[in-house]
Amino acid sequence: GKEKYRNFIYDNFFHPIGMNDTSTEFDAIGNFYGSSFIYATAQDYARFGLLFLRNGVWENKRILPEGFVDYVRTPTQARGAENYGAHWWVSTNNKKGLLKNGPYDAFEAQGRDGQLIVIIPSKDLIIVRMGTNMKDDAWPKLGEFISQIAQNL
């Protein structure tokens, strides 16, 4: 049931990396989507990003399976989804990702109303945005802003 699943997430993923101010919700029949209904502080989202930036290893302990981070940031072969991996958005030099002007190794968790966790391995950088009510036309401006930050590091 959902209580066992929730305990599994917290015991094996959130708490080992210090995500102690995070809560999850499940739908009415107990499904956990993973793409939404995770509420956390900016610091906890940054910890989540750091786990992926460090290839699934936290304080010398492997939390995510070997190769998992490469898998999630590899663009899918599906037509029309070239900037999407496995539950993560990717920025590639096809100019379709969030960071149309690079760095092209970036990958992002994009949440409701413009919340973001952007991971840029080549810059050893994580950017967390806790914004709300972002309109669709603001995404290109945000992507350009983040690209400028990263390229000036």
Side-chain angles (χ1 to χ4, degrees):
K2 80 177 165 184
E3 209 51 44
K4 278 186 174 180
Y5 192 54
R6 178 180 280 124
N7 290 340
F8 177 82
I9 294 168
Y10 281 82
D11 293 344
N12 294 286
F13 187 65
F14 292 160
H15 290 161
I17 67 170
M19 289 180 68
N20 297 318
D21 294 311
T22 300
S23 67
T24 58
E25 284 186 19
F26 294 75
D27 71 10
I29 60 170
N31 293 318
F32 175 66
Y33 291 107
S35 64
S36 55
F37 302 118
I38 300 173
Y39 305 97
T41 63
Q43 292 84 357
D44 278 4
Y45 283 138
R47 288 174 177 276
F48 184 80
L50 186 60
L51 177 66
F52 280 80
L53 182 66
R54 299 291 181 249
N55 199 27
V57 175
W58 193 267
E59 295 180 349
N60 298 317
K61 180 181 177 195
R62 178 151 295 283
I63 304 294
L64 301 174
E66 183 100 28
F68 184 73
V69 174
D70 285 335
Y71 170 71
V72 303
R73 65 186 189 146
T74 300
T76 182
Q77 299 300 309
R79 181 185 292 165
E82 296 87 5
N83 66 317
Y84 195 68
H87 244 33
W88 288 81
W89 296 94
V90 295
S91 291
T92 62
N93 60 5
N94 67 6
K95 306 281 187 188
K96 292 188 178 184
L98 177 66
L99 306 186
K100 293 182 183 358
N101 297 315
Y104 297 121
D105 63 333
F107 57 111
E108 310 94 34
Q110 298 180 9
R112 181 168 167 78
D113 294 330
Q115 292 182 339
L116 282 173
I117 303 169
V118 180
I119 301 162
I120 307 174
S122 62
K123 300 294 183 173
D124 199 34
L125 179 66
I126 301 162
I127 297 173
V128 174
R129 180 184 190 273
M130 298 292 287
T132 59
N133 297 326
M134 192 157 123
K135 304 222 182 290
D136 284 343
D137 62 351
W139 284 99
K141 292 175 187 171
L142 180 61
E144 179 60 31
F145 179 68
I146 293 171
S147 285
Q148 288 176 4
I149 291 170
Q151 290 169 358
N152 288 312
L153 290 178

